[in-house]
Amino acid sequence: MQDLLPDLCDHFEELVQVVEPMFANFGGRETFGGEIVTIKAFEDNSLVREQVAQPGQGKVLVVDGGGSLRRAMLGDMLAEKAQNNGWEGIIIYGCIRDVNAISALEGLGVQALATHPMKTEKRGEGQLNIPVTFGGVTFRPGEYVYADNNGVLVSPQKLELPES
């Protein structure tokens, strides 16, 4: 499933919104997509820890970390837990750490702004499943997000390419 996003844009141009280019691909799975689950939290990954412990088949966790480049919202242990619980991927408007370990997780897609070695504090703060906006796009729980090395796009419905 290489270069999925250009094909989706060609077939569903009127339906999709493309996120401004800002993310790098860090996960072992380069192409991923699924139903959106959102978290809004600034420099506190308590809710990320809670959500990756839940079943995530067919879902992508979208974390609005406020664009912070001062703390990592995801590390290797939480990424491994997400993979083990079936999450398709995680998109973080913020940083991750443990890049080499995360890139070895073949079943999990991870995109983020950058890397940072410092973990977050655990204050139990944040909001779950609310619309979050960054990169010129609003991510709504229950809609769909798709990501690959070409970028990230959002659709109000699940997209499937016609058989060629």
Side-chain angles (χ1 to χ4, degrees):
M1 208 170 26
Q2 287 182 300
D3 294 323
L4 174 66
L5 266 61
D7 291 341
L8 289 176
C9 286
D10 291 350
H11 282 86
F12 302 103
E13 183 176 353
E14 302 300 319
L15 196 59
V16 300
Q17 291 184 290
V18 178
V19 179
E20 294 168 3
M22 63 176 73
F23 292 100
N25 210 338
F26 295 103
R29 183 176 180 188
E30 292 183 343
T31 301
F32 62 96
E35 185 179 343
I36 296 170
V37 174
T38 65
I39 290 174
K40 184 176 181 79
F42 186 74
E43 296 181 2
D44 179 346
N45 71 349
S46 301
L47 279 179
V48 174
R49 177 180 301 281
E50 290 175 17
Q51 285 306 297
V52 299
Q54 303 298 317
Q57 286 79 9
K59 297 179 182 176
V60 174
L61 188 60
V62 177
V63 181
D64 180 353
S68 172
L69 300 178
R70 303 184 310 182
R71 300 278 178 156
M73 294 292 286
L74 180 74
D76 60 344
M77 291 188 295
L78 295 185
E80 186 174 348
K81 187 175 283 193
Q83 176 180 264
N84 292 343
N85 285 315
W87 288 87
E88 304 296 326
I90 302 174
I91 298 171
I92 298 187
Y93 184 51
C95 291
I96 68 164
R97 67 187 207 160
D98 303 316
V99 178
N100 294 333
I102 289 174
S103 70
L105 298 175
E106 294 178 5
L108 185 69
V110 176
Q111 290 204 13
L113 296 179
T115 62
H116 196 288
M118 185 70 70
K119 66 182 178 179
T120 68
E121 295 180 28
K122 310 292 186 284
R123 300 181 306 269
E125 296 175 358
Q127 295 171 287
L128 178 65
N129 276 330
I130 63 165
V132 296
T133 303
F134 53 84
V137 172
T138 298
F139 298 80
R140 291 176 181 85
E143 293 190 349
Y144 289 82
V145 63
Y146 299 91
D148 69 10
N149 286 324
N150 295 287
V152 176
L153 64 80
V154 173
S155 168
Q157 66 191 48
K158 187 174 184 176
L159 302 177
E160 293 186 32
L161 290 170
E163 298 290 325
S164 46

